[in-house]
Amino acid sequence: MNKNYSCDIIKDLLPGYIDGVLSEAGENVVKGHLEECEKCNRAYLEMKEELNNGMEAKEQIALDGFKKLRQHTRKLKIAVGITTGLLVFLLLSAFVRVFVIGVPISTHAMSVDDLSYNEETNCLEISGTVNFASCRVSRVVWKQSEENSNAVNVFVYGAETLPFQSEKGEFNISVPNMKGKTAYLACPDFDQREVYNWKHYHNEKLIELENEIYDHLTELDRTKDALSYNGGIETVNGVEGICYSVQSVIGENATFWTFNDQLITDGDFESRDFEIWISLDKPYQILINDSQSGEYTDDYSIVSRH
């Protein structure tokens, strides 16, 4: 063993020896000492392992930091992509809504030029004009009314006109199955205007049916029992017909009359607990719908009992 250098000195030189920064003479001294001193050699191996582990830990920390940076960058790119996509989507949606799909037009800005109802197909044709400058009719749709099964709402959509497009202010639509129904020009959250009522176009037929009811049901008094058409077509036993509710006038010498499709009396009305159904076509069939049973019957005595 080299007696000129103690173990403490050699241990102080070990870090430099491991890092390879000692002079050639110093490196030879440490190397010779380690070959002879088992204790210092063991300390050298432990120190070398610790330094290696420390280097690996630093490398791992750096690698983990790089991975986190890469993940953060990827997330940032995704966020930017999503934001950009949403902005593009919103811009395209706004463009499509304004210039392609359009928005519902107020009924006050529209006029109906022609109505045609086909008795064979029960189809209603509606033609009209939009009185808006720089407005192009983009589409016309009809929807069943949510509040009234016998009513249909027609919506006319208008879009802004692009420079290369021509203005189109006319619209037309064909609405099927309009027998017994009412059609409205409508604009959501704004207004509604009646343009067609099956009753108005078949008033003579309704008068004929009412007279038929009064003639067959002698229990009814023409001057006291008012018939009110309920609207719509009701099929009973495979036969199409319409229903009337009955209101009786109460009061001495009281009478009733009709004004703008409204029943008016100088007395009071009392609603009867039955409805009268009559077929649309001859030979006429007349049935009574008793509110208690909910069934149709040809027992006319129900009229006198209620």
Side-chain angles (χ1 to χ4, degrees):
M1 181 180 295
N2 193 334
K3 302 295 183 177
N4 296 328
Y5 299 96
S6 66
C7 291
D8 290 337
I9 294 175
I10 296 301
K11 288 181 180 179
D12 290 338
L13 295 174
L14 283 179
Y17 178 74
I18 294 173
D19 291 338
V21 296
L22 296 179
S23 65
E24 184 177 353
E27 187 172 340
N28 290 333
V29 170
V30 174
K31 183 177 180 182
H33 184 87
L34 293 178
E35 290 175 351
E36 298 178 0
C37 182
E38 183 180 352
K39 183 178 179 181
C40 288
N41 187 57
R42 188 164 52 250
Y44 160 72
L45 294 175
E46 291 176 354
M47 186 180 295
K48 185 177 181 180
E49 184 178 358
E50 289 177 359
L51 289 174
N52 288 337
N53 290 338
M55 290 299 296
E56 291 178 358
K58 291 179 180 179
E59 291 176 357
Q60 186 62 44
I61 291 173
L63 182 60
D64 291 343
F66 177 74
K67 289 181 178 179
K68 289 181 179 180
L69 180 61
R70 187 170 60 179
Q71 291 175 354
H72 179 73
T73 303
R74 185 183 299 119
K75 290 180 180 179
L76 183 61
K77 289 181 179 179
I78 293 174
V80 171
I82 292 175
T83 302
T84 303
L86 286 174
L87 288 175
V88 172
F89 174 77
L90 290 175
L91 290 174
L92 286 176
S93 298
F95 178 85
V96 170
R97 180 173 176 80
V98 174
F99 294 100
V100 180
I101 298 176
V103 296
I105 299 174
S106 171
T107 63
H108 300 296
M110 293 183 285
S111 60
V112 175
D113 303 327
D114 184 54
L115 285 171
S116 177
Y117 176 76
N118 189 314
E119 296 287 349
E120 295 182 358
T121 62
N122 301 321
C123 185
L124 176 66
E125 299 285 342
I126 304 176
S127 299
T129 305
V130 174
N131 304 314
F132 265 163
S134 301
C135 178
R136 176 179 55 85
V137 176
S138 57
R139 60 191 180 116
V140 186
V141 298
W142 66 270
K143 295 180 181 179
Q144 183 72 47
S145 171
E146 296 179 358
E147 294 80 16
N148 185 356
S149 61
N150 295 316
V152 168
N153 292 322
V154 175
F155 302 94
V156 180
Y157 288 77
E160 293 291 332
T161 304
L162 293 170
F164 57 84
Q165 292 177 318
S166 59
E167 295 182 5
K168 178 188 175 185
E170 298 79 23
F171 67 89
N172 59 77
I173 189 172
S174 178
V175 186
N177 304 320
M178 283 299 295
K179 192 172 186 178
K181 296 183 179 180
T182 303
Y184 297 89
L185 282 180
C187 181
D189 304 326
F190 285 98
D191 50 17
Q192 187 183 58
R193 176 157 59 95
E194 181 180 308
V195 294
Y196 173 81
N197 191 322
W198 185 86
K199 174 182 177 181
H200 296 160
Y201 286 82
H202 298 80
N203 191 53
E204 292 183 2
K205 180 67 174 179
L206 293 177
I207 292 175
E208 179 184 341
L209 296 176
E210 291 172 10
N211 288 332
E212 191 72 20
I213 290 173
Y214 282 122
D215 291 342
H216 280 76
L217 299 182
T218 57
E219 295 85 355
L220 295 177
D221 186 340
R222 288 177 181 265
T223 62
K224 297 294 182 181
D225 298 314
L227 299 177
S228 298
Y229 169 51
N230 293 342
I233 303 298
E234 188 155 350
T235 302
V236 178
N237 299 327
V239 179
E240 288 186 335
I242 60 176
C243 280
Y244 287 92
S245 58
V246 182
Q247 298 184 76
S248 297
V249 176
I250 301 175
E252 187 176 355
N253 300 321
T255 58
F256 71 88
W257 62 95
T258 302
F259 180 75
N260 288 338
D261 289 335
Q262 299 293 323
L263 280 175
I264 301 174
T265 179
D266 49 11
D268 293 313
F269 277 125
E270 179 184 36
S271 297
R272 306 291 291 274
D273 293 335
F274 61 85
E275 291 184 343
I276 300 173
W277 177 88
I278 182 170
S279 61
L280 285 175
D281 301 318
K282 296 180 179 180
Y284 293 122
Q285 303 176 44
I286 299 177
L287 299 174
I288 308 299
N289 188 339
D290 187 355
S291 61
Q292 296 181 1
S293 65
E295 297 180 353
Y296 290 95
T297 177
D298 56 3
D299 181 7
Y300 300 155
S301 64
I302 293 176
V303 177
S304 58
R305 293 201 302 267
H306 289 267

